[in-house]
Amino acid sequence: MKRKIYYISIVVATILLAFGYGMYYYYAPPRVLKPYHIAKNNDDTIRVAYIGDSWAFFHLPYDKRISDSLSNKLNRPAKVSSMGFCGQSSKEVYRYFFDNPEMVTFLSKGYDYCIITVGINDANKKMSPNYYKQSMACIIQFFLANQITLILLEIPDYDIEKMYRWEIPSRKLLRRFSRLVNGTPINCKQEFRHALDELLSEKGYGDKVSIIRYRKWNNNYAKDLKDYYNEDGIHLNDKGYDKLDSCIVETCVKLQKRTANEKD
């Protein structure tokens, strides 16, 4: 009997340790990894990477449209290339820079600018704002080390409550656990926006990266959900991408002009 209790105790302890380690890995922000070198292209083409979560993944059909718009504004060739991973958090996207062969190959093509769209899944999974903040710090350091100009998309005003309601029971249970662990409310978009602002201020990144504020293109919640989003209230429709991309083009043009003025 004592031996049976001993073996049961070992099994229970092993399960608890495995669960504890799994939860720690899940909730812990990433550690900074040494950036590898990304070669530059020396031709006349302006290259822009659009990287992140499902918003980047679903941007693929619009790459040519935004490339043509940017080229017309700059009077020179421009190429926008998207790569996104549906459902992935900021930490997971950052890890893909090193662990995902497709992403490594994508980055190796060389870019002048990089648009980063992450955070929606952090907020959906009820991760802590600090998880998002530290992940963004890692992402920013990676691109600054490669002298690629970053354009960050502030977390948009999507329907986070609907996203929570539509979760399957097991995931909703996990989200409730996450809320308890991280003290994150269901609608935590603003907390994550504040976390990004804190990072930019604390690290002095304000003059090194650009940020497209959600209110610049997504400032009327009810109307924008109807006009710019799909039925799920989470992903952009054609009109939504057109609106967002116009802001991205405007930002790239301003940055390019600023660079030209600095060289003069």
Side-chain angles (χ1 to χ4, degrees), residues 70-83:
L70 185 58
S71 180
N72 289 334
K73 294 283 185 180
L74 294 174
N75 293 314
R76 60 187 292 188
K79 181 177 178 60
V80 178
S81 303
S82 299
M83 176 165 284

Side-chain angles (χ1 to χ4, degrees), residues 204-248:
Y205 291 145
D207 60 344
K208 297 177 181 178
V209 304
S210 294
I211 180 168
I212 296 179
R213 301 289 181 182
Y214 80 99
R215 289 193 180 278
K216 185 174 178 62
W217 65 276
N218 185 202
N219 64 349
N220 188 322
Y221 183 73
K223 186 176 186 300
D224 288 351
L225 278 182
K226 180 180 178 181
D227 291 346
Y228 298 153
Y229 287 79
N230 290 326
E231 189 65 29
D232 61 10
I234 302 162
H235 298 102
L236 294 178
N237 58 25
D238 182 83
K239 188 176 179 180
Y241 273 118
D242 185 56
K243 181 69 174 180
L244 175 59
D245 284 350
S246 67
C247 292
I248 291 173

Side-chain angles (χ1 to χ4, degrees), residues 14-182:
T14 302
I15 292 172
L16 289 175
L17 284 172
F19 178 78
Y21 177 78
M23 288 298 97
Y24 170 78
Y25 179 81
Y26 183 75
Y27 289 114
R31 60 183 180 87
V32 179
L33 300 175
K34 183 179 179 180
Y36 52 83
H37 177 67
I38 299 174
K40 289 281 188 179
N41 291 283
N42 296 317
D43 56 20
D44 192 44
T45 300
I46 294 293
R47 289 178 169 80
V48 183
Y50 192 117
I51 294 173
D53 47 35
S54 58
W55 278 42
F57 178 83
F58 290 119
H59 188 269
L60 278 165
Y62 305 102
D63 283 354
K64 186 178 186 307
R65 184 171 71 182
I66 188 175
S67 297
D68 291 344
S69 176
L70 185 58
S71 180
N72 289 334
K73 294 283 185 180
L74 294 174
N75 293 314
R76 60 187 292 188
K79 181 177 178 60
V80 178
S81 303
S82 299
M83 176 165 284
F85 301 90
C86 298
Q88 301 304 289
S89 69
S90 54
K91 171 186 175 179
E92 292 164 324
V93 171
Y94 172 66
R95 290 290 313 190
Y96 282 166
F97 296 169
F98 303 88
D99 299 341
N100 185 290
E102 188 179 6
M103 173 60 88
V104 173
T105 299
F106 178 84
L107 289 171
S108 70
K109 296 176 182 178
Y111 298 94
D112 302 287
Y113 301 95
C114 181
I115 301 148
I116 294 291
T117 170
V118 292
I120 288 178
N121 292 309
D122 298 46
N124 176 47
K125 295 177 180 180
K126 310 307 170 201
M127 311 306 277
S128 70
N130 187 59
Y131 173 101
Y132 170 67
K133 181 178 177 180
Q134 292 195 44
S135 299
M136 290 302 295
C138 292
I139 290 172
I140 290 171
Q141 289 178 45
F142 178 87
F143 286 101
L144 288 182
N146 278 288
Q147 298 181 323
I148 297 173
T149 302
L150 266 184
I151 301 172
L152 308 178
L153 299 186
E154 191 176 46
I155 291 178
D157 220 5
Y158 68 102
D159 194 342
I160 192 170
E161 288 88 356
K162 178 183 281 189
M163 200 170 186
Y164 181 77
R165 290 195 304 270
W166 282 9
E167 294 282 11
I168 61 175
S170 60
R171 287 189 179 178
K172 187 170 286 188
L173 181 62
L174 179 59
R175 305 296 179 246
R176 288 174 180 170
F177 179 76
S178 297
R179 290 175 59 198
L180 179 64
V181 170
N182 296 315

